[in-house]
Each structure stands twice: as C-alpha cells, then as structure tokens.
Amino acid sequence: MSLTTHFPLCFLFSLFQMQFMLLFSRQGKLRLQKWYVPLSDKEKKKITRELVQTVLARKPKMCSFLEWRDLKIVYKRYASLYFCCAIEDQDNELITLEIIHRYVELLDKYFGSVCELDIIFNFEKAYFILDEFLLGGEAQETSKKNVLKAIEQADLLQEVRHRMKSK
Amino acid sequence: MPAPIRLRELIRTIRTARTQAEEREMIQKECAAIRSSFREEDNTYRCRNVAKLLYMHMLGYPAHFGQLECLKLIASQKFTDKRIGYLGAMLLLDERQDVHLLMTNCIKNDLNHSTQYVQGLALCTLGCMGSSEMCRDLAGEVEKLLKTSNSYLRKKAALCAVHVIRKVPELMEMFLPATKNLLSEKNHGVLHTSVVLLTEMCERSPDMLAHFRKLVPQLVRILKNLIMSGYSPEHDVSGISDPFLQVRILRLLRILGKSDDDSSEAMNDILAQVATNTETSKNVGNAILYETVLTIMDIKSESGLRVLAINILGRFLLNNDKNIRYVALTSLLKTVQTDHNAVQRHRSTIVDCLKDLDVSIKRRAMELSFALVNGNNIRGMMKELLYFLDSCDPEFKADCASGVFLAAEKYAPSKRWHIDTIMRVLTTAGSYVRDDSVPNLIQLITNSVEMHAYTVQRLYKALLDDISQQPLVQVASWCIGEYGDLLVSGQCEEEEPIQVTEDEVLDVLEGLLVSNLSTPVTRGYALTAIMKLSTRFSSVNRIKKVVSIYGSSIDVELQQRAVEYNALFKKYDHMRPALLERMPIMEKTATNGPTEIVQTNGETEPSAVEPKHPPPVTQPANQANDLLDLLGGNDVVPVIQTTMPTKPASAGGELLDLLGDLSLSGIPPMTAYNKNGLKIDFTFERANPNPNIAVITIHASNSTEAEMTDFVFQAAVPKTFQLQLLSPSSNVVPALNQGTVTQVIRVLNPQKVSLSMLTYTHKGSPVQDLAEVNNFPPQSWQ
C-alpha cells in the first residue's frame, strides 16, 4: 500500500476519532456509509472505491487491521457484509472491533436475525440505529437495551399521524 | 398524478436490473419523476421521494437536487419527515456549500423541541456534520443541554460539544462550567460521553489538563466499581462490565497521568489491578488490557508496573488471535526505545512473527527486529533478517535492505562479515536497494582497505552471474574500476583467488555498456570504470578505442564523459595517472547511511577528481599551462568561493566537505603578500582526520588610514589538486590594523607555487593585484 496521496488537513485535528464507517457486500456494493469528517462527494467516492478494493483483496487468514494512508482500518466480515471503520493513529483497534460487534448485535436484535437483505431494504433504519449508538464517531450509549429502547420509541413516534407542535 | 412508488418497491425494482445500463435507465426514470414531484412542492410524498433519492445516492448516482428538499423535510412538523430530512442532510449536504447553513435555524428550533427524539436528531446531526459557523451559532444551545437532567439528551450534548470543540477550539471554555458534575452521573451513557468530552478538552488545552487532574481519584473509583461490581446485564460483555467505559477511562487516565508524578501514583494500583484481573480469553478483555498497557507505558509508572505491561505484550505475542499479535507488535515498537531490555526478552517470539502470513504483522515484526539488533545478537538476527529479505514481498525489500545495511554498519563483527552481508543483499534484493545506498556502500568498501581484493573478486563473480540489478552493477563497476589491478593479479587472501585476464574484465564492463538492462547511470559507471583501468591495466589501446567510440554516443551524459576522457588521453595524458589514482579513505559525513532519504541525482559519481567537476575542463586548452596568463581573459578562479553544496553521499563532495577538528600541526605561518599597506599572512593546520588536506587561514590586515572595502581574495591553482575557499569573515579590512579579515582555504596537496588575486576598494578607487605565493613552508605540502 503506497502512501503517495494524502488526506486533507481536516483529518489531523484529533488523535482519537472514528473517521468513517462503511458497510459493503462481497461484490463491493456499498450498503451504508457514515462519514464523520467533511469530504467532498468525489473524495468519498474515491476513498470508498480504493478501500473496498483493498479490503476485498485481503485473505481470510489476515488480521482485521490494516494501515491505509494515514489511518488504521478495522474491518470484520459478518456473513456477506464487511463492516469497515477508519480510526486514527492513537485509537484502540481492539475496542473498535467491539464497537463493530455491538452495532451488529443491535441490528440483529432489531431486525431479528439480521441479514444483508434487511440492511438493503431498510437502509434508513440501519442509519437510525447507528445514529442512536454512535454520535460523531463515538459511542453515546453503552447499554444495548437503552439504544434499542430509544429506537423503539422513535419508531412509535413515526406512527403518530398528528402534527406535533414545537415549544 | 399517481402516488410515487414506495421506497421498498423501488429497491426491489432496481435490484432486478441485470445490467448497469438497465439500472441506469430505471434510476433516470425515477429521478425524473422525483424531480417533477419536487417541483410540484408535494408535501405528502416528499419524505418518500427523498428516501428513494438517498437509496439511489448510495448506489452512486447524483442526488444534489434533493438537498433543498432535505431542508424542507427538516422544517416539517412530522417526525417521519424530520428523521429522513436529517438523514438526508447528513448524507447529501456538504459543509463547504453555503446551503447547509440554512439548516442552522431549524436545528436551533429542534434543539428546543418538546420531544426529546427530535432534540436528539438535531444534536446528532450537529455533532456529526456541523460546520464551524453552525457550531458557533449553536454552541450555546448545546451547552444548555449539557446541563439538563435528561440523560438521553445529556449524553448526546456531551458528544456534540466534542464536535463543537473540534471545529471551534476557542469555544472550549464555555463548556467548562457544565463539566462540573458530569462524573457524578450514574448513567453509563452520560459517563462514557463525559469522559470523551473531558479527554478532548484535556488533549487540547494544558490548562484544562491541569484543571482536570483533580478528577483522577474519582475516575479511579469509577473504574474500580466497574471491575469489582457484580454482573450487570445491561452493560455486560462476555463477563466484563462496560468495556467501552473502562477503555475510555483508562485513556483519560493516561492523559492525566502523563508527566505528572502524583497522578501517576494515584492510578498505579488500579492499573495493576486491571492488568492482573482482566479476563483474557476474549477480544474484549484484551482490548482493555491493551489500553491498560498503553496507559502504563505513557505515564510515570514504577518499573514493576512497566515490566508487567511488557509481559502482557509478550503474552499477546503468543496469542492465537492474530489481531492480538498485531497490536502487541505495534505497542512493542513504541516501547522498544524506552524499555529496550524488557523487549529484548521477547526477541525470539518477535523474530518468529517474521514468518507470519499477515502483511501488517510481518512489517511490524521487521521494524521491531531491526530495533532489537545490537552487538550481541547481530549474527543471529542478521541471519533471520536476510532470510526474511529473500522471501518477503517486494514492498518490504527496500526497507529491509536499508535496515540491513544500517544494522550491519553499526554492529558488524568483522569487515569480512560486513562485506559478505552487503554482497548478500545486493545479490538477492539488488533491484530494491535504494539509490543512495550505492554511494554509501562504495564508501564503506573503500574504507575497508584490507578487503579490497576480496570485495572486487566477489563483485566480479556476481556480475558474471547477473547484470540486471542496477545497484549491484553500479557498485561492482566502480570497484572493478578502482581495484581491477587486484582482481587480475589474483591477490585475494580471504578466498581462493580467481584467474581472470584484463581482457575478460574489460569484456564484462563493455558488456554493461551495451546491455539494454543497464540504465544510463550504470553505463556512466561502467565507462568511468573502464577509463580508470587505463592506469591499472596494460591494455590501454583497447580502452582508448572504447572511449573514443562513446564519444559519439546518443546518450549525452555518456558522450560528455567519453569526450572528456578522450581529451585526457590526447592532451592531458601527463595528468591521467594522478587523476585516476586510487581513492583515499573517505570521511563519513554527519548524515546517516542508507535510511536517510537523500536526493542524489543518481548521476553523482563518487570518483575523487573528475575532470568535469569545477573547474570545467571545457575551458580553453592552454589553461593548464598558462596559469599565470591572467590577462588572457581566462577564468582564473575556477575555484568556488563559498562552501561547496553538500552532496553527502558523494565521495567527491566528501573530500572537500570535511569540517572536522583542526589540529595545530606545527607548520610555521608565513607572509604571503605585503604591499600598499595590505598584508596577508597564512597560517597552516592539518585537517583532522584527513591529514592530506592543509587548512590555510589567510589573515588580511590593513595598515593604511582608510579601510579597504569590497575586499575579495581569490586563488588559482593547477588542476592537479583541489582547493576550497570558504567565506571570508568580512569584506572590509579595517584601517590601521584595527582588525583582520580571515578566510579559510582548504587545499589538498598544496604545491610550492600558487597564485592569488586580490581586489579591493581603497579610498574610493578599486585596486587589483596579482601575487605569486611561492614561499610555502615545506611541511605544508608533504
């Protein structure tokens, strides 16, 4: 992996931050993309393309971490989906694996034995769940129960057809 | 107008497309429908349409025309609309475009909404993609929410504050009051995000760091409770209570304990406790251990604790899980400088990791192995590393080769071993060796005087095998050019000398010239080597012929060399032996060896006296004989007046770029010039460590009543030796002997005669004078 290209300066502002999370299939089709740093559409596409290629080229026996540009990539495959996070130099890769796992558990609980199709057809829900679990790349809630409860309540709100008035 | 199709139906339809073209057609059709629906300002289905747009965006299709629609959704009163609207904003809006600022007001309103889930959406969006302007505008709202008792909102506000601080660091102060009671929270979500917020503040501001140090006891207590408390189903992960919070606390402790003895001491016990009690069978336990190790190594921990940490890493190295091995190697690499001995104990395990299948593990193991090499283990380690070099992927070879050279240079047990190691690298990974290694190796070989015969023999044999690896070929050519006489005379002591004739050697070198495997640089080396052999071999005619052929080479570099060498044969034959003499021992410059990224232009040929080095040989032919003919308009000062540009890896540059210790050598000073009130004295010293160089300091003093300005001293010398004139102390020689201008000249082999030219301005008129200096003390040119 050559380090000939560089990320824009905005990436150098903190030591611990998840920069983005990507979910993609074994064929390289993107299923979810969450960016926690500002990048143009073009840059996002370029990064996604390169990273997907890099991760898909990895052999099964290899470890879940790789260096890519200035970042550390933590990825794990669950059935047909790759979950891929980009973290910064000082971050703890092992706990990032746990973050990924927690997200998968949340999806699993919500959808009931989640599979890729659930994520495809309900991608907006996958985002909502992620946004209840992480905020700005950090975990906002460490209790599985609480995350799921919040989602449940919010879903109920969607059912409410009456207009809501603000304060 | 029929209702726009539902999201899931669209997804289903698109997935039935069998080709990219088919998909594109469907998408275009749907986009057109969505666009017209947007134009009609259809409120009912806006949400559905935007959702579909988001799906198509994920497939890679443009969706910017939906940006404003997202804003409209956010402004809507329906929760469903807001949810999709905010999601769309996060996916489609770019903080670089002004459009996103239109969100600010909506977010502000929603931050004050009566429903916490709406507030949550706003906080999430702001915390994910808020631009600096938005953050500035809304920081106050966030700060308010940070103080609320609603833990659902409080935790989100904390992370939102983190984002605000990252975007607008000056705003950090305003969040300080709200942090007061954050750690007293029972809610883990709030605790976790609070610790993240505190961490961010401490990292960014030394004042904050000092301020928050008092939290250490509280943090220690929280951590202790987590470890000691019984099973808590809500936060349990494989028997560990809230690992995420534990890791975050450990990280904050690290930052607080760094460079602070008291804090470090206060956390000592808890760190030991975590290190010894954490369950290591699953990844989650190891994640905590890993963070603990990082913390122990960074703070001022007592040595017992540090050893404990390194041992944990050592155990990690033996773990079946390759992820664990990987982080162990990474951490060991960070600590190898400070805790070298402790890490040495795990050397064999580390070396084993060189054979790991995983590229990242291999790389780390390689870096760590090099860091662990020392005088005691050099032979064993080098064996492993050379084996690794043989079999590793190409991406490693350059770094590995450089590492081997560096290690060999530092710790080589013997010169023979050193040369052998270099040979091994050149022959096995020759094409990956960095360009700057070539001059470094040449210098090394030159300085290993007793190994010259052995080296040239081995290099010659390597050339017979393979001429494709350019660095090897270049080093070999140079050596053959230099030590060809030793090669043909069969003087090798270290191994069985080979029988080789002059013609065979010349065959090989000429072969390099014509081979299309050779790069232009290599050809340059080969030609110069052949030229040098003209003073070492007897087959001068053959060499003359080769050189003259290349006088019309298409390669300009080669042509120039050939032309100049031709000139050497024809007109300057008397100078040829001196010019092509054996190289003296070269100095090592301050810059390091192979791992330094030195920008050599590849053309730098490390031969001591190249005719084309200044002074350029293309000057008129009578130059050499007419040193005194200054009025002929020839340049009398081919000599540089200021210091030579540093070419650290070039031998030619090195000879002149030695600012080593000067030691007084007992050579008496002399007056070189004394006329019209200007007196110039020479004092002598021998350069140390190269005694062949005389360092002459000129002292110019002025006994007239007017000062001499624009004083310039120049010297001309025959081209058989080199001279370097450093910058003068000043251009003004003060009047009445009130001071002297000094200037240092470094000369290799000064002769009896040299010429100086002086120019200066005195009382308004320029003065120029020439002087022949011929009263050098004998000791100065021995």
Side-chain angles (χ1 to χ4, degrees):
Chain A
M1 285 156 275
S2 72
L3 298 166
T4 47
T5 50
H6 290 284
F7 269 156
L9 266 176
C10 64
F11 277 29
L12 304 177
F13 267 73
S14 58
L15 293 174
F16 307 117
Q17 195 195 356
M18 184 186 299
Q19 302 223 345
F20 55 84
M21 182 190 285
L22 302 174
L23 266 67
F24 51 90
S25 71
R26 286 219 308 254
Q27 289 73 42
K29 293 218 109 159
L30 197 60
R31 298 302 179 205
L32 187 144
Q33 49 174 334
K34 189 74 188 178
W35 300 86
Y36 294 111
V37 284
L39 290 168
S40 69
D41 237 15
K42 197 164 143 207
E43 288 166 315
K44 287 182 192 167
K45 280 205 172 130
K46 181 162 188 260
I47 292 169
T48 306
R49 196 174 44 235
E50 277 182 36
L51 197 52
V52 166
Q53 230 176 6
T54 309
V55 171
L56 289 178
R58 302 271 289 180
K59 305 196 188 59
K61 289 285 180 197
M62 295 176 127
C63 72
S64 300
F65 315 128
L66 60 103
E67 292 105 36
W68 186 79
R69 302 193 185 187
D70 301 330
L71 298 173
K72 300 204 274 203
I73 305 294
V74 179
Y75 72 94
K76 191 149 184 207
R77 202 182 113 200
Y78 288 85
S80 59
L81 266 183
Y82 282 89
F83 287 69
C84 190
C85 291
I87 59 176
E88 288 181 356
D89 192 57
Q90 303 286 322
D91 253 329
N92 180 331
E93 297 98 319
L94 299 180
I95 204 72
T96 309
L97 277 176
E98 293 298 319
I99 297 258
I100 292 177
H101 192 73
R102 173 57 63 90
Y103 181 45
V104 173
E105 285 180 322
L106 289 167
L107 290 170
D108 197 53
K109 211 59 201 269
Y110 182 83
F111 288 109
S113 257
V114 67
C115 63
E116 192 186 342
L117 276 178
D118 290 320
I119 314 256
I120 294 171
F121 280 93
N122 302 285
F123 70 94
E124 83 278 17
K125 303 248 170 63
Y127 275 108
F128 296 152
I129 295 170
L130 185 60
D131 286 341
E132 274 304 325
F133 174 40
L134 301 179
L135 199 158
E138 304 279 357
Q140 56 180 284
E141 180 57 68
T142 56
S143 152
K144 237 188 305 192
K145 192 178 85 181
N146 286 349
V147 176
L148 292 167
K149 201 164 66 177
I151 292 286
E152 211 180 315
Q153 298 287 350
D155 281 351
L156 279 176
L157 260 184
Q158 269 196 225
E159 309 284 316
V160 172
R161 296 190 188 279
H162 310 311
R163 284 162 169 259
M164 297 177 302
K165 292 202 169 55
S166 54
K167 225 187 287 197
Chain B
M1 177 98 203
I5 65 169
R6 291 174 178 276
L7 169 65
R8 320 225 186 273
E9 206 185 306
L10 175 69
I11 297 176
R12 205 169 297 126
T13 312
I14 291 178
R15 282 171 64 78
T16 62
R18 268 162 304 176
T19 63
Q20 185 75 2
E22 217 182 310
E23 182 186 275
R24 211 173 315 144
E25 210 185 299
M26 291 179 187
I27 302 260
Q28 275 171 355
K29 198 167 130 209
E30 185 58 36
C31 275
I34 292 178
R35 265 193 232 249
S36 51
S37 184
F38 284 163
R39 269 196 297 270
E40 284 162 28
E41 297 284 341
D42 184 332
N43 288 340
T44 330
Y45 296 112
R46 181 176 287 126
C47 180
R48 183 185 292 183
N49 284 328
V50 169
K52 286 186 285 183
L53 203 54
L54 293 180
Y55 177 73
M56 295 188 287
H57 177 252
M58 184 144 63
L59 293 180
Y61 296 93
H64 45 270
F65 58 91
Q67 285 172 354
L68 281 174
E69 303 301 313
C70 293
L71 294 175
K72 290 180 197 164
L73 284 175
I74 291 173
S76 155
Q77 294 307 312
K78 281 161 67 179
F79 183 68
T80 317
D81 283 355
K82 282 188 190 286
R83 240 182 168 186
I84 296 289
Y86 276 117
L87 179 61
M90 286 192 273
L91 288 174
L92 299 182
L93 286 178
D94 187 347
E95 74 158 38
R96 296 170 225 215
Q97 296 157 359
D98 287 335
V99 164
H100 83 280
L101 287 170
L102 296 171
M103 260 201 297
T104 315
N105 225 32
C106 282
I107 294 187
K108 188 167 192 174
N109 289 336
D110 284 344
L111 284 173
N112 291 303
H113 205 275
S114 54
T115 312
Q116 69 176 17
Y117 297 106
V118 173
Q119 290 172 292
L121 286 176
L123 281 167
C124 180
T125 306
L126 182 60
C128 173
M129 61 160 304
S131 62
S132 322
E133 297 97 326
M134 279 171 71
C135 287
R136 255 184 245 275
D137 286 340
L138 300 170
E141 304 296 326
V142 176
E143 198 260 345
K144 235 170 34 191
L145 288 170
L146 192 51
K147 296 192 283 215
T148 176
S149 53
N150 180 338
S151 46
Y152 177 78
L153 292 175
R154 207 168 183 205
K155 71 189 188 199
K156 290 181 193 270
L159 289 182
C160 202
V162 170
H163 180 84
V164 169
I165 291 173
R166 281 179 183 159
K167 285 304 223 187
V168 193
E170 309 91 72
L171 292 176
M172 185 165 27
E173 290 286 325
M174 73 182 279
F175 292 107
L176 187 54
T179 61
K180 228 187 188 112
N181 296 316
L182 279 178
L183 290 186
S184 331
E185 268 275 359
K186 291 281 181 259
N187 179 296
H188 279 226
V190 178
L191 264 179
H192 184 272
T193 59
S194 302
V195 171
V196 173
L197 176 58
L198 292 169
T199 308
E200 187 71 26
M201 292 168 96
C202 290
E203 272 186 295
R204 287 184 177 270
S205 157
D207 290 334
M208 292 287 182
L209 179 58
H211 172 82
F212 284 127
R213 278 226 172 87
K214 59 182 193 246
L215 294 176
V216 170
Q218 204 174 357
L219 288 165
V220 168
R221 224 170 22 244
I222 298 173
L223 190 52
K224 198 166 193 152
N225 284 337
L226 284 173
I227 302 170
M228 308 296 272
S229 67
Y231 176 72
S232 149
E234 201 175 331
H235 299 109
D236 180 271
V237 180
S238 305
I240 296 182
S241 187
D242 207 339
F244 304 107
L245 182 56
Q246 287 194 36
V247 163
R248 274 320 215 154
I249 292 179
L250 286 164
R251 202 176 287 175
L252 181 54
L253 285 175
R254 174 150 91 245
I255 292 168
L256 294 173
K258 203 171 187 164
S259 355
D260 188 84
D261 288 321
D262 291 331
S263 305
S264 299
E265 207 190 303
M267 54 182 84
N268 198 73
D269 286 346
I270 191 67
L271 289 175
Q273 207 176 352
V274 176
T276 41
N277 290 341
T278 307
E279 180 67 46
T280 63
S281 54
K282 292 253 174 80
N283 180 65
V284 60
N286 288 321
I288 295 176
L289 276 178
Y290 179 39
E291 197 73 37
T292 313
V293 165
L294 292 177
T295 301
I296 292 174
M297 300 314 291
D298 240 13
I299 65 171
K300 293 182 160 255
S301 41
E302 27 171 85
S303 57
L305 202 54
R306 292 181 87 84
V307 171
L308 179 59
I310 302 235
N311 288 343
I312 291 176
L313 292 178
R315 275 205 309 277
F316 273 8
L317 276 182
L318 301 168
N319 197 305
N320 283 330
D321 186 341
K322 47 194 155 3
N323 293 335
I324 311 282
R325 291 205 298 277
Y326 174 91
V327 303
L329 287 170
T330 311
S331 314
L332 285 170
L333 200 52
K334 289 191 198 143
T335 64
V336 71
Q337 300 304 332
T338 45
D339 296 85
H340 191 89
N341 291 332
V343 180
Q344 279 282 1
R345 263 180 243 130
H346 303 280
R347 195 178 66 242
S348 52
T349 325
I350 292 169
V351 167
D352 279 341
C353 290
L354 285 172
K355 305 187 185 95
D356 203 295
L357 292 166
D358 185 299
V359 153
S360 311
I361 291 183
K362 271 206 276 243
R363 174 165 287 281
R364 277 174 168 54
M366 179 183 82
E367 287 170 16
L368 203 44
S369 299
F370 279 122
L372 290 176
V373 171
N374 62 27
N376 293 328
N377 58 35
I378 177 77
R379 283 186 194 266
M381 287 296 275
M382 203 49 81
K383 212 158 65 172
E384 297 284 347
L385 288 165
L386 286 172
Y387 180 73
F388 175 70
L389 181 62
D390 283 341
S391 53
C392 67
D393 297 329
E395 60 184 289
F396 289 117
K397 291 212 195 239
D399 288 331
C400 190
S402 297
V404 168
F405 286 148
L406 200 60
E409 206 173 307
K410 275 197 200 150
Y411 303 113
S414 74
K415 284 244 157 77
R416 162 87 188 257
W417 181 95
H418 197 170
I419 303 277
D420 283 342
T421 305
I422 292 173
M423 289 296 308
R424 173 85 182 269
V425 174
L426 285 179
T427 47
T428 55
S431 8
Y432 299 98
V433 162
R434 294 213 168 88
D435 284 343
D436 60 328
S437 313
V438 171
N440 283 326
L441 291 176
I442 286 175
Q443 177 187 56
L444 188 66
I445 291 169
T446 311
N447 291 351
S448 317
V449 177
E450 63 278 16
M451 303 296 302
H452 285 168
Y454 172 70
T455 311
V456 69
Q457 181 162 297
R458 285 212 59 190
L459 284 168
Y460 178 76
K461 284 200 277 194
L463 269 193
L464 292 176
D465 273 336
D466 174 19
I467 58 166
S468 64
Q469 306 193 85
Q470 299 306 293
L472 171 63
V473 175
Q474 288 167 11
V475 175
S477 310
W478 191 91
C479 283
I480 294 173
E482 193 65 15
Y483 310 120
D485 49 325
L486 300 176
L487 186 59
V488 297
S489 63
Q491 285 180 23
C492 183
E493 284 170 2
E494 300 281 339
E495 64 173 23
E496 185 70 34
I498 57 171
Q499 308 297 330
V500 62
T501 65
E502 289 185 3
D503 277 321
E504 284 169 333
V505 174
L506 288 170
D507 284 340
V508 169
L509 287 176
E510 286 184 43
L512 295 176
L513 279 174
V514 302
S515 166
N516 50 11
L517 291 169
S518 299
T519 62
V521 171
T522 304
R523 290 206 179 89
Y525 272 88
L527 188 61
T528 304
I530 291 175
M531 185 61 190
K532 279 163 137 184
L533 290 174
S534 71
T535 55
R536 293 157 174 75
F537 282 3
S538 52
S539 357
V540 182
N541 285 330
R542 177 173 175 178
I543 293 174
K544 269 195 199 167
K545 231 192 295 185
V546 174
V547 166
S548 71
I549 290 173
Y550 280 90
S552 43
S553 163
I554 290 179
D555 181 338
V556 173
E557 172 68 34
L558 222 48
Q559 188 192 109
Q560 180 170 7
R561 282 174 197 236
V563 163
E564 289 170 10
Y565 296 156
N566 256 330
L568 205 53
F569 274 123
K570 296 207 165 66
K571 297 172 196 158
Y572 303 103
D573 209 41
H574 57 285
M575 288 169 68
R576 189 165 49 88
L579 274 171
L580 303 177
E581 214 171 48
R582 183 82 95 230
M583 286 286 290
I585 311 273
M586 297 182 218
E587 300 298 325
K588 196 94 183 78
T589 54
T591 56
N592 278 336
T595 51
E596 184 94 357
I597 313 290
V598 173
Q599 292 297 348
T600 57
N601 59 5
E603 308 247 332
T604 316
E605 168 149 331
S607 61
V609 189
E610 268 192 289
K612 70 180 177 104
H613 246 291
V617 169
T618 43
Q619 281 186 343
N622 58 359
Q623 179 72 29
N625 295 324
D626 286 313
L627 261 180
L628 302 178
D629 187 14
L630 297 165
L631 301 171
N634 292 335
D635 286 344
V636 105
V637 198
V639 182
I640 39 268
Q641 205 161 337
T642 50
T643 46
M644 274 263 269
T646 35
K647 288 187 188 151
S650 144
E654 289 196 41
L655 264 182
L656 301 182
D657 194 19
L658 298 168
L659 295 174
D661 295 343
L662 304 179
S663 59
L664 291 167
S665 54
I667 305 173
M670 57 175 265
T671 302
Y673 177 91
N674 196 347
K675 218 158 126 182
N676 299 332
L678 179 63
K679 180 154 163 277
I680 298 186
D681 293 319
F682 282 12
T683 55
F684 297 89
E685 279 153 347
R686 286 265 163 219
N688 186 10
N690 186 343
N692 291 327
I693 294 183
V695 180
I696 306 173
T697 309
I698 69 157
H699 305 263
S701 54
N702 166 15
S703 59
T704 69
E705 343 74 82
E707 60 179 18
M708 295 169 175
T709 55
D710 303 317
F711 175 75
V712 173
F713 176 88
Q714 292 168 322
V717 296
K719 291 185 215 71
T720 50
F721 60 89
Q722 287 176 297
L723 181 147
Q724 180 185 17
L725 207 57
L726 304 181
S727 303
S729 61
S730 154
N731 282 107
V732 177
V733 191
L736 298 171
N737 292 323
Q738 279 167 20
T740 55
V741 167
T742 55
Q743 193 167 7
V744 175
I745 314 172
R746 299 170 65 88
V747 194
L748 184 64
N749 302 328
Q751 307 281 292
K752 283 207 268 189
V753 180
S754 90
L755 200 64
S756 323
M757 179 161 89
L758 311 158
T759 58
Y760 55 91
T761 305
H762 190 230
K763 293 182 188 165
S765 23
V767 179
Q768 181 180 295
D769 200 5
L770 296 164
E772 186 185 290
V773 182
N774 55 11
N775 53 339
F776 279 89
Q779 302 97 309
S780 69
W781 43 267
Q782 237 106 61

